[in-house]
Amino acid sequence: METLEQLLALFVAAVVLASLARRVGAPYPVFLALGGAAIALMPQAPTFALPPELALALFVAPVLVDAAYDMSLRDLRDNWAPIAGLVVAAVSLTTVAVAAVAHALVPELPWAAAIALGAIVAPPDAVAAGAVLRPMHPPHRIVNILEGESLLNDATALLVYRLAVGAVAAGEFTWGAVGPAFLLGVAGSLLAGALLGRAVIYVTDRIEHVPTAIILQFVFSFGVWIAAERLGLSAVLTMVCFAVTLKRTRRRPMPARMRIATNAVWSAVVFALNILAFIFIGLQVRPILGGLDRAELHLYLGVTGAVLATAIGVRLAWHMSFNTVLRWRHRRWGYHPPRPLMRPTVGTGLVISWAGMRGIVTLAAALALPAAFPQRDLILFAAFGVVLGTLVVQGLTLKPLLRALRLRDDDPVGRETGAARERAYQAGLASMADVQSPDADKVREKLRTLLVSPEADDDAAEDAADGAARQRALYRQALGAAREAIQAMRDEDEIGEDAFLQIEQDLDWREMAIGGAARAGRPAPAPRADALAGAGPGQPAPPA
């Protein structure tokens, strides 16, 4: 019971820190990192054991599925060059540079272990960057590049990491030996992710009970990760392909009540996993600090500082060089994007270069090192130092940098959202073109109002609550037509995932308002506030 009390106390402390971060406008991972450092320095901190082999699956698998499910394939294609450069070149250069620096400072550190350290600290984390950038509404292109990079660079870094850890066990690390395994792992992961995604769709499309569906989502996510590991594939690439397959090939749309509940649960789980990762890394670092003498502490701090400077410097050098070449190319041959996109500038290059904060993937990879791994304590200490350093140094200065550069675009997401909303509700009106009745006229009036003011109260749902079954049927029919319209726009690349998700959420709440009114037999409350109040078993709870 004491262990449970300690864990709950740590969770409460982490929630308080995250709340303070929101109040001061800082990314919550910064405060979590500081909390993890405080745990490491506490002499009476509790002790929890986490088997290393569970760390990556527990902390990374759900985060990857959550991010990949909402990834915009169109935006990835539009920005493939800078994303590919960051995913392949920046991660590879960071891994090699960090390995060289660490091996030079600690000659007894085997090369394979040094490469593992480089792979651990190479991939940036989108959670921290998103927490800083999104409230400031930066250019959409910057957000797309950072989110696409953070999703795919985990695959590059963790594949090298797995090969390096295996090389430590085998006693050697040669690119000639691991190269074929690398290529085979990439190809096999893409195929396995797509096949497993289709198999899961076949099962989950037949489930309508919300709690059962959510539980199975987590079971399948962890199961796919475990299967990829057992087959020797890249678990990250497999998970990304698995999530994309789930989103793009589902035979029938997920019901609104299931999607609302699923989104709420997954958001909470990702937040909880970030909390746990910082707690466990702090608990791992605490005994390391306690066992170091002064000379060893200076060595650990020196290595950590050098690795931190290398990780930041390599990313800055690579992307600014790439940005310079890109701008020269556009001046020489012109800028011809497939759709209106912000032109790369020195300012966008600086923001992308400086937004390389490390986070949960780095922590999980460090925790996953086997107990007998060479210089494990040093690698754990350095990994946590890089996470803490990048979050504090870059995380707290990224917002002032963005303000100083005054980067703005023409709000492409808002423009696409407006076009999608108009197309959606026009499709809803068209679906009732042949229906002439007072009920249909009321629904048409409401739909026309929504074209002008999407935040208007949903009077159609209130009318439906009074027993107008025909209105409910017509309104559902119109919402169904609206869903088909925005789905077609996304499939044809007229809108991206951000605009699609905004309209989909709007339609979900309106559908839930009608459904809630029909079930409860009373007027439905406003859909964005408490449309789900009083939901029974199997219904999603009111959102926080």
Side-chain angles (χ1 to χ4, degrees), residues 33 98 102 113-114 116-123 161 277-278 281-282 284-285 288 300-301 303-308 311 356-369 375-391:
V98 167
L117 171 60
I120 287 171
V121 302
Y161 164 86
F278 283 101
I281 196 71
Q284 292 274 322
V285 171
I288 296 174
Y300 275 42
L301 290 173
V303 171
T304 300
V307 169
L308 172 62
M357 289 85 78
R358 273 57 173 181
I360 191 169
V361 174
T362 294
L363 298 179
L367 289 169
L369 288 172
Q375 299 288 339
R376 184 178 190 269
D377 287 353
L378 173 60
I379 294 175
L380 273 173
F381 188 93
F384 180 63
V386 170
V387 172
L388 178 62
T390 55
L391 286 173

Side-chain angles (χ1 to χ4, degrees), residues 122-488:
D125 177 35
V127 173
V132 176
L133 293 174
R134 282 197 177 275
M136 298 191 66
H137 305 290
H140 189 55
R141 179 176 177 271
I142 292 178
V143 176
N144 285 335
I145 290 174
L146 292 175
E147 291 183 346
E149 174 211 1
S150 68
L151 183 64
L152 299 176
N153 64 11
D154 296 343
T156 305
L158 292 182
L159 191 54
V160 174
Y161 164 86
R162 187 168 62 85
L163 295 173
V165 172
V168 168
E172 61 177 354
F173 187 96
T174 61
W175 288 108
V178 302
F182 185 95
L183 296 177
L184 181 62
V186 170
S189 300
L190 298 176
L191 178 61
L195 293 177
L196 290 170
R198 291 181 180 276
V200 169
I201 288 173
Y202 181 80
V203 176
T204 56
D205 270 358
R206 290 161 171 76
I207 298 174
E208 297 183 358
H209 185 242
V210 176
T212 299
I214 294 176
I215 290 172
L216 288 180
Q217 288 169 12
F218 285 100
V219 170
F220 287 134
S221 297
F222 288 118
V224 169
W225 181 282
I226 294 170
E229 289 284 333
R230 295 283 175 85
L231 294 172
L233 304 175
S234 166
V236 174
L237 273 181
T238 304
M239 296 299 293
V240 171
C241 291
F242 168 74
V244 172
T245 302
L246 288 181
K247 183 66 174 284
R248 292 286 177 164
T249 61
R250 187 179 293 275
R251 289 192 299 271
R252 65 184 183 88
M254 182 184 293
R257 65 191 183 93
M258 186 178 295
R259 182 164 39 245
I260 290 172
T262 297
N263 291 341
V265 171
W266 277 83
S267 296
V269 167
V270 169
F271 178 57
L273 289 176
N274 273 276
I275 291 174
L276 283 174
F278 283 101
I279 288 174
F280 278 111
I281 196 71
L283 294 175
Q284 292 274 322
V285 171
R286 185 174 65 87
I288 296 174
L289 284 173
L292 296 177
D293 58 31
R294 183 178 295 274
E296 290 174 325
L297 179 60
H298 288 165
L299 173 64
Y300 275 42
L301 290 173
V303 171
T304 300
V307 169
L308 172 62
T310 302
I312 294 176
V314 169
R315 178 184 177 88
L316 184 64
W318 161 258
H319 190 70
M320 289 310 298
S321 300
F322 177 85
N323 179 269
T324 300
V325 172
L326 205 61
R327 288 185 288 110
W328 171 83
R329 179 186 174 187
H330 292 162
R331 288 195 303 269
R332 180 76 178 268
W333 287 287
Y335 183 55
H336 308 290
R339 58 188 50 81
L341 292 174
M342 184 180 185
R343 182 187 294 267
T345 65
V346 174
T348 62
L350 285 172
V351 171
I352 292 171
S353 300
W354 197 245
M357 289 85 78
R358 273 57 173 181
I360 191 169
V361 174
T362 294
L363 298 179
L367 289 169
L369 288 172
F373 198 80
Q375 299 288 339
R376 184 178 190 269
D377 287 353
L378 173 60
I379 294 175
L380 273 173
F381 188 93
F384 180 63
V386 170
V387 172
L388 178 62
T390 55
L391 286 173
V392 172
V393 174
Q394 295 176 292
L396 295 180
T397 58
L398 185 57
K399 184 181 290 188
L401 175 64
L402 191 61
R403 284 175 176 163
L405 293 173
R406 298 180 179 178
L407 298 176
R408 294 288 184 271
D409 59 10
D410 60 349
D411 190 16
V413 174
R415 186 176 64 249
E416 290 182 354
T417 301
R421 178 173 286 114
E422 182 173 356
R423 179 85 62 87
Y425 287 110
Q426 289 289 1
L429 289 172
S431 71
M432 300 185 300
D434 298 330
V435 182
Q436 301 298 326
S437 69
D439 288 331
D441 291 340
K442 288 184 178 181
V443 176
R444 286 192 189 95
E445 181 182 355
K446 183 56 186 176
L447 290 173
R448 291 191 184 99
T449 302
L450 292 173
L451 288 175
V452 179
S453 179
E455 299 300 326
D457 292 337
D458 207 335
D459 297 331
E462 296 179 7
D463 292 340
D466 293 332
R470 182 58 176 165
Q471 282 189 47
R472 289 199 299 271
L474 289 171
Y475 204 54
R476 289 196 186 94
Q477 174 183 317
L479 293 178
R483 290 185 188 281
E484 292 179 1
I486 63 168
Q487 181 76 48

